[in-house]
Amino acid sequence: MLYVFTLGFHADHIIRRLSRSRSIESIVIFTAKPVVRAVVNTFKEVLAFCDRARLPIPRLVEIPPDDAAESIYIVLSELSSWDKVVADLSGGMRSIVVLVLTALLIHSMKSYVIIYTSAEREDLPEFSISLDLIRTIMTKSLSREKFKMVQEIMKTPGITITELAQTLNKSEKTIRNYLAELKRLELIKIKGPKQNIYPTKWAKIIKKIQQ
């Protein structure tokens, strides 16, 4: 799995993410071109941590903030061979974050990408977004059957698999397969011993866009 970061003058988000992650096969860090001394020093902190933690040696890749197309091309070239990408965009210049995010969104057309970011205020939690979900929303690519299932779950929060199968006139096996996809997209949650199904707030967004 490839781990992607944006870097400015602080490396806390990178070290925090790497210290709690597994299956790290490669690390790429993007920063503005030309790189300044403060960023070089910050990158050395990351190198030292990775050496202590016996992680792959990260690569620092410079991208020009004044050339969007070139920057996105460079990022896509780094992503091209990876089908699973974890990105933390909590650091670095806003323009670099936007450029890397755009490239990640394009890459998500063929690969699984999840993005993490932390708020600047320490009292606020970090959040993550699956770009697979965003792509599904933007392209309205959720199938009619799965969209109908989302609508039914929103209409009857807590519905069970058996009840959903009866309502939609589908086999429980089919319902389970559909639910696995909806859960992967973070559109539903399944809770309790009876496996009650509830919509997430993302379900409200996809309903608004796709209906």
Side-chain angles (χ1 to χ4, degrees):
M1 188 178 296
L2 174 65
Y3 278 71
V4 170
F5 299 93
T6 47
L7 180 64
F9 299 157
H10 303 282
D12 295 353
H13 66 293
I14 298 177
I15 293 172
R16 183 171 57 248
R17 178 66 48 206
L18 293 175
S19 65
R20 66 175 70 161
S21 300
R22 299 290 183 271
S23 303
I24 302 171
E25 298 175 71
S26 186
I27 304 167
V28 178
I29 300 174
F30 294 101
T31 194
K33 181 180 182 179
V35 63
V36 298
R37 181 177 297 179
V39 171
V40 171
N41 291 335
T42 303
F43 181 63
K44 288 179 180 178
E45 293 179 28
V46 179
L47 285 173
F49 169 80
C50 289
D51 182 58
R52 292 193 304 272
R54 297 183 179 180
L55 295 174
I57 298 173
R59 293 189 304 108
L60 185 64
V61 177
E62 299 174 53
I63 58 176
D66 58 345
D67 190 335
E70 178 65 14
S71 292
I72 292 169
Y73 178 81
I74 292 170
V75 177
L76 285 173
S77 297
E78 296 290 336
L79 301 175
S80 61
S81 62
W82 295 93
D83 59 4
K84 290 184 179 179
V85 178
V86 174
D88 191 323
L89 308 182
S90 302
M93 294 171 53
R94 287 191 181 95
S95 58
I96 298 301
V97 170
V98 170
L99 292 167
V100 173
L101 176 59
T102 302
L104 288 165
L105 185 57
I106 295 170
H107 187 66
S108 74
M109 297 297 291
K110 66 173 185 177
S111 304
Y112 175 77
V113 179
I114 186 166
I115 291 179
Y116 291 89
T117 189
S118 301
E120 294 180 359
R121 283 173 44 187
E122 294 183 358
D123 60 320
L124 296 176
E126 70 172 16
F127 63 87
S128 64
I129 299 176
S130 165
L131 290 192
D132 196 15
L133 167 62
I134 301 302
R135 177 173 52 81
T136 300
I137 294 171
M138 292 177 63
T139 59
K140 301 182 180 181
S141 58
L142 194 67
S143 70
R144 181 179 298 179
E145 291 83 3
K146 291 171 186 172
F147 180 60
K148 188 175 180 180
M149 184 178 294
V150 170
Q151 289 179 305
E152 192 61 40
I153 294 168
M154 292 185 70
K155 187 165 57 176
T156 317
I159 192 170
T160 65
I161 293 174
T162 300
E163 292 167 342
L164 197 55
Q166 292 171 349
T167 301
L168 299 177
N169 196 27
K170 301 281 186 183
S171 70
E172 289 194 18
K173 181 179 179 181
T174 298
I175 294 297
R176 289 181 186 277
N177 289 337
Y178 285 178
L179 289 176
E181 174 70 7
L182 296 178
K183 187 176 180 181
R184 185 183 69 80
L185 289 172
E186 301 178 24
L187 294 173
I188 63 161
K189 291 182 178 180
I190 300 176
K191 301 178 181 179
K194 294 184 179 180
Q195 293 189 302
N196 301 92
I197 310 159
Y198 298 88
T200 66
K201 292 179 180 179
W202 288 111
K204 293 193 295 184
I205 295 174
I206 206 165
K207 181 182 178 183
K208 186 178 183 64
I209 296 298
Q210 193 159 329
Q211 64 185 1

